[in-house]
Amino acid sequence: MILYLHGFRSSPQSFKARLMTQVMQAQGRMNEWACPALPASPRLAVELAEKLAAELQQREGLRQSHSHPRTGLTIVGSSLGGYYATWLAEKLGCRAVLLNPAVHAARDLATQVGEHTSYHDDQPFLFKPVYVDELEAMKVERITDPSRYFLIAATGDEVLDWTEMRDYYQGAHQRIIEGGDHGISDFAAWLPEVLAFADAPLHNE
């Protein structure tokens, strides 16, 4: 089961989201896939994501308990979606794949308060000052189980510092792409690795 969370100003129409949708559809796995349009409010975005995660788990007849906190769910998050994915993975005890994730989202997006338009449909939205506070409130100081995380970071990321990603997800499975860009335009080359990580058997259950 895979839940995909897009980044700031992005949408389910992003290149990576559409590619993953196509692959899941081709494999007949659409009942294991969710890729929502996230609201601008980080609090509302993670509430929606958590609701969809629960629906995916219920659909597969999975349940969480104190003795078996892990699930078959993997959250794939791009940029700001990676920040959300990390917070949710810590809360739900699931796997996460981070694609050029925002590590210090409150710091980085404090400069983005104001009016914006979405990349894929030019719809306007307002990024409010309170949203920076919401981001700060969900900050994860350090990941508790690096084995549940897979980082894909491009050294050519023109938006975020890839070394912060590398250091924050120390001990996790990492794929550092030499060069590249923030959008990971060669994502198709890394998608088999993403799916293999998501579908591998869970340990210590």
Side-chain angles (χ1 to χ4, degrees):
M1 297 176 296
I2 298 176
L3 172 61
Y4 185 96
L5 305 179
H6 64 72
F8 184 68
R9 295 184 62 196
S10 192
S11 77
Q13 294 304 309
S14 74
F15 162 71
K16 296 187 295 295
R18 286 188 289 110
L19 182 60
M20 289 201 71
T21 300
Q22 291 166 7
V23 170
M24 295 295 281
Q25 190 168 29
Q27 294 181 356
R29 299 177 59 188
M30 290 302 286
N31 63 327
E32 302 174 40
W33 169 252
C35 181
L38 299 174
S41 162
R43 179 180 60 82
L44 295 179
V46 295
E47 285 179 0
L48 173 60
E50 191 169 0
K51 177 175 178 287
L52 290 172
E55 289 177 1
L56 281 172
Q57 292 164 350
Q58 188 176 37
R59 197 179 300 167
E60 291 298 300
L62 297 175
R63 65 180 180 84
Q64 290 180 286
S65 69
H66 294 298
S67 59
H68 295 83
R70 296 188 177 187
T71 73
L73 174 69
T74 298
I75 304 174
V76 179
S78 174
S79 194
L80 178 57
Y83 186 80
Y84 296 156
T86 301
W87 186 86
L88 285 164
E90 288 296 314
K91 183 175 183 180
L92 302 177
C94 66
R95 284 194 179 101
V97 178
L98 304 317
L99 310 175
N100 280 338
V103 173
H104 302 290
R107 179 199 69 189
D108 295 339
L109 286 173
T111 62
Q112 301 301 311
V113 170
E115 292 278 355
H116 294 278
T117 55
S118 299
Y119 287 129
H120 305 106
D121 59 12
D122 289 326
Q123 286 296 310
F125 71 92
L126 178 65
F127 192 77
K128 302 176 182 179
V130 69
Y131 295 166
V132 178
D133 298 331
E134 292 177 4
L135 288 171
E136 185 64 34
M138 64 181 70
K139 182 177 181 180
V140 174
E141 290 296 336
R142 61 182 59 85
I143 55 175
T144 56
D145 183 357
S147 70
R148 290 193 285 107
Y149 292 86
F150 176 22
L151 168 69
I152 298 182
T155 65
D157 191 322
E158 69 280 12
V159 177
L160 299 172
D161 183 351
W162 73 274
T163 64
E164 291 184 341
M165 309 172 198
R166 175 200 62 195
D167 296 346
Y168 179 81
Y169 295 98
Q170 186 174 7
H173 180 47
Q174 296 192 359
R175 172 65 64 189
I176 306 299
I177 303 169
E178 291 298 326
D181 52 28
H182 183 65
I184 311 182
S185 54
D186 59 347
F187 183 60
W190 312 112
L191 184 53
E193 206 169 343
V194 170
L195 293 175
F197 180 82
D199 295 337
L202 291 169
H203 301 294
N204 300 322
E205 286 197 329

